[in-house]
Amino acid sequence: MFDGKAAIVTGSTSGIGLSIATAFARQGADVILNGFGDPDAIERTRADLAAETGVTVLHSAADMSKPAEIAALIGLAESAFGRLDILVNNAGIQHVAPVEEFPAEKWDLVIAINLTAAFHTIRAAIPLMKRQGWGRIINTASAHALVASPYKSAYVAAKHGIAGLTKTVALEVARDGITVNAIAPGYVWTPLVEKQIPDTMKARGMTETEVKEQVLLAAQPTKAFVTVDEIAGLAVYLASDAARSITGTILPVDGGWTAQ
Ligand code: NAD
């Protein structure tokens, strides 16, 4: 479906981003992976995906909290492929604490990676997409772009911000063949969710099972975690020509969470 196209997926060495990048590569797009982790494991992932799909797969360790590194990431698509068709802003971190104890430097980091990074990638990517007369920008938001939960002030603020950025940019590029949408997952079982369990146990004085059942899946009527493949399936659809009239939307994939 995407032969000859080039995609960047930020935060794609793990979890949702890796699943989205894999799906785009399987549909024929050249892909730049981005994110942190063990260098050998990342290289294995990159080489395996390239071997399986036959597309070019690169990795950039650009830090999404650093504007100069973000500019270099977009520049890599231009220098390696001469184009950028699909941009997925997916890198994200979480920090869980009551607002009055929330470390200021954690607030800054969550806002930088989960929100400001998307501003920097988008502003650099749009001239390339306008030149092509075609582009797809997909932001991984969250159910927390639509509703809040306690102890996640920075994350909820960043994700609500991503929703606003998505709508605003969609309006600005509506006549340029570029769509801008956000996917709003409920709880997806990834390292990001796994890592926040100890802090939530501490903040709420709960056991691990209580956190899973009463905090995480309490909000999700299906009582099942969303899978990374379900998110990737929607990303592929949003990037397809069939979705050309879908723009400026925040699409929940949340087992009914935000229907309540
Ligand atoms: P994850 O921890 O598995 O993956 C996060 C990715 O971001 C990793 O590749 C990591 O290396 C990368 N990353 C972190 N900091 C970075 C930085 N400074 N620069 C570049 N890359 C960086 O998490 P995930 O659950 O797959 O989350 C991906 C996105 O999905 C995030 O934006 C998250 O907020 C969102 N999301 C997740 C869930 C969920 O339940 N897992 C729900 C809703 C939204």
Side-chain angles (χ1 to χ4, degrees):
M1 194 189 299
F2 303 123
D3 287 355
K5 289 192 162 32
I8 291 177
V9 185
T10 72
S12 51
T13 52
S14 154
I16 294 169
L18 179 56
S19 182
I20 292 174
T22 300
F24 281 126
R26 286 181 179 157
Q27 293 291 336
D30 293 321
V31 170
I32 301 179
L33 301 173
N34 159 256
F36 304 147
D38 170 54
D40 291 339
I42 292 173
E43 174 50 24
R44 259 196 315 278
T45 302
R46 188 206 63 73
D48 287 352
L49 189 56
E52 180 207 319
T53 59
V55 302
T56 301
V57 182
L58 306 176
H59 170 256
S60 158
D63 183 338
M64 291 301 106
S65 68
K66 304 208 163 92
E69 295 189 24
I70 297 172
L73 173 66
I74 304 297
L76 178 61
E78 169 86 315
S79 60
F81 305 125
R83 57 191 302 120
L84 176 59
D85 303 276
I86 300 161
L87 167 65
V88 183
N89 290 302
N90 172 80
I93 59 165
Q94 174 65 281
H95 188 80
V96 179
V99 69
E100 70 275 26
E101 293 165 21
F102 211 94
E105 66 279 6
K106 286 285 184 195
W107 170 278
D108 288 343
L109 197 60
V110 171
I111 298 293
I113 296 170
N114 295 18
L115 175 58
T116 309
F119 159 73
H120 288 293
T121 57
I122 287 171
R123 70 195 289 272
I126 280 191
L128 306 183
M129 293 178 173
K130 279 188 174 170
R131 195 175 72 196
Q132 297 156 190
W134 196 95
R136 294 288 186 268
I137 298 172
I138 300 165
N139 301 318
T140 306
S142 165
H144 284 125
L146 302 166
V147 295
S149 298
Y151 312 122
K152 296 181 177 177
S153 53
Y155 187 88
V156 172
K159 295 298 186 181
H160 275 64
I162 273 286
L165 179 66
T166 300
K167 294 180 196 175
T168 305
V169 180
L171 298 181
E172 293 183 21
V173 297
R175 301 188 68 177
D176 295 305
I178 304 169
T179 68
V180 190
N181 291 287
I183 299 175
Y187 279 103
V188 188
W189 189 253
T190 68
L192 180 141
V193 169
E194 211 173 341
K195 275 188 246 158
Q196 67 187 275
I197 288 177
D199 283 343
T200 309
M201 286 164 66
K202 200 168 128 206
R204 294 186 183 245
M206 287 179 167
T207 66
E208 181 173 339
T209 308
E210 285 169 339
V211 168
K212 281 188 186 163
E213 290 177 359
Q214 295 175 30
V215 181
L216 302 183
L217 296 179
Q220 215 146 285
T222 52
K223 299 296 172 207
F225 284 99
V226 176
T227 70
V228 292
D229 292 347
E230 291 162 21
I231 306 301
L234 179 54
V236 166
Y237 173 67
L238 286 173
S240 73
D241 279 327
R244 73 175 70 82
S245 300
I246 301 178
T247 195
T249 67
I250 318 300
L251 293 165
V253 184
D254 64 4
W257 175 354
T258 55
Q260 298 169 102

